[in-house]
């Protein structure tokens, strides 16, 4: 088997961030590549009736604790941002624009930088200023990124991507699909690893 | 540290069943004992706004697949029951009555037997006949179990236990608490193991 792994994530998802730090290494171990798909969980929630974890009674406080504990357990830098959760539409659109104009590698670099900016530095990534700063640090023209992210074609591209993800059954973050086999959650990396190794579970 | 591990589970929860097959061995590795708490997830859902996994769009079909894959991955016998999910009030009450009259060890034996009857044999454990059969196989008087499970004091005991669990933050199955540290999900056994080993994560 040699197909790519589809990696779906929302920029406001801590588990998506954790997964983003390890998905490339996991794929490389099995000679696979990764296709990164920024997702809007809010749209999926309209289908599943879900809600952002921190908003859910009982589950919310537990989740905030589990984010921090899971980060320590896996040795991943993490700090709960002041603004959490937040809108990730701008960050997702910006990533699509970076991909369209600068290619896949730069887009993945951009995704890593946005996640770090949010979950390590605690910046508000829903704000244009933050995205401009992230872009500049990668040698991109921040103003051009914001303008591109706001274009009709990029808005439409994200809408199409998110609808296609939901049509494919993606409802959470992170969500991985390899050879049509779906895996939801950073805590399914072990099964994904076994699946890629053995071709089945 | 030497306190017990509180183990909360709903008899209609596949992940609770998976956990039930391994929680005792996990505890023993760290010189701990386990206190088994049958839970009613339906009551917790009233607080969290949750719903049984199979009923949720997108997440439902994924979950049915994940139950089977996770069982294979962990080498646990599992077959999706025809009736799923179902009411677990009778099974939970019966377990409390077995504990009250026969002691902890028999109650745990009863819990294992109910889970196997449901998730291996596929029987409808919401039915008195099924509980009578499970009881008889353990050398218990099935009619007495059903009568005891229906008594006012047992009904009240389960209500009190479930309310106490929710007050403690328990919202899912399985849910483990060790030294006030909460762990939700069979996929947190690795972290629970590390916590019991090191005293922290």
């Amino acid at each position: 088997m040699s197909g790519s792994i589809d990696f779906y994530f929302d920029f406001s998802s801590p588990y998506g961030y954790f997964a983003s730090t390890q998905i490339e290494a996991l794929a490389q171990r099995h000679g696979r590549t990764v296709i990164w798909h920024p997702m809007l969980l809010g749209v999926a929630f309209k289908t599943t009736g879900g809600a952002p974890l921190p908003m859910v009674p009982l589950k919310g406080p537990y989740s905030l604790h589990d984010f921090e504990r899971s980060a320590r357990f896996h040795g991943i830098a993490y700090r709960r941002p002041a603004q959490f959760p937040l809108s990730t539409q701008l960050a997702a659109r910006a990533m699509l624009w970076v991909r369209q104009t600068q290619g896949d590698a730069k887009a993945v670099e951009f995704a890593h930088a946005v996640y770090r900016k949010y979950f390590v530095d605690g910046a508000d990534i829903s704000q244009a200023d933050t995205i401009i700063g992230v872009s500049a640090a990668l040698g991109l023209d921040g103003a051009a990124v914001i303008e591109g992210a706001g274009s009709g074609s990029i808005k439409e591209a994200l809408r199409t991507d998110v609808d296609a993800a939901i049509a494919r059954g993606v409802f959470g973050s992170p969500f991985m699909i390899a050879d049509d086999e779906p895996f939801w959650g950073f805590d399914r990396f072990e099964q994904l690893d076994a699946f890629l190794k053995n071709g089945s579970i």
Side-chain angles (χ1 to χ4, degrees), chain A:
Chain A
M1 300 188 298
S2 57
S4 294
I5 300 167
D6 286 302
F7 173 56
Y8 298 89
F9 60 96
D10 186 300
F11 277 115
S12 78
S13 158
Y15 300 126
Y17 158 61
F18 300 162
S20 77
T21 68
Q22 304 192 358
I23 187 71
E24 292 285 359
L26 173 65
Q28 278 166 27
R29 278 203 296 282
H30 303 286
R32 301 286 189 125
T33 51
V34 181
I35 302 176
W36 292 56
H37 302 273
M39 225 347 243
L40 299 178
L41 272 187
V43 180
F45 288 157
K46 286 181 192 160
T47 301
T48 60
L53 278 175
M55 314 302 198
V56 182
L58 302 182
K59 206 184 265 195
Y62 172 83
S63 297
L64 294 177
H65 181 67
D66 189 65
F67 297 155
E68 297 183 352
R69 189 176 60 203
S70 292
R72 289 195 302 272
F73 184 72
H74 293 282
I76 299 167
Y78 169 81
R79 200 178 64 176
R80 190 202 310 177
Q83 299 293 330
F84 178 73
L86 44 64
S87 166
T88 56
Q89 212 164 38
L90 175 62
R93 286 173 179 166
M95 181 182 171
L96 293 194
W97 186 83
V98 171
R99 172 180 292 149
Q100 200 173 85
T101 58
Q102 316 285 326
D104 275 338
K106 200 70 177 179
V108 170
E109 209 184 320
F110 181 81
H112 282 304
V114 169
Y115 258 147
R116 274 195 306 270
K117 199 65 169 175
Y118 186 37
F119 286 119
V120 180
D121 301 341
D124 181 346
I125 58 161
S126 71
Q127 299 301 309
D129 282 353
T130 309
I131 297 299
I132 289 173
V134 168
S135 302
L138 297 177
L140 300 167
D141 176 345
V145 171
I146 296 301
E147 193 185 328
S151 69
S153 67
I154 287 292
K155 287 182 178 177
E156 180 57 29
L158 180 60
R159 206 176 297 126
T160 304
D161 281 5
V162 171
D163 287 350
I166 294 171
R168 226 184 152 186
V170 174
F171 57 82
S173 166
F175 202 103
M176 291 71 65
I177 303 180
D179 309 325
D180 289 328
E181 184 76 12
F183 298 87
W184 170 42
F186 183 48
D187 40 31
R188 285 297 177 278
F189 262 42
E190 216 185 330
Q191 291 192 26
L192 173 59
D193 196 50
F195 177 81
L196 292 172
K197 185 180 170 200
N198 305 317
S200 68
I201 290 182

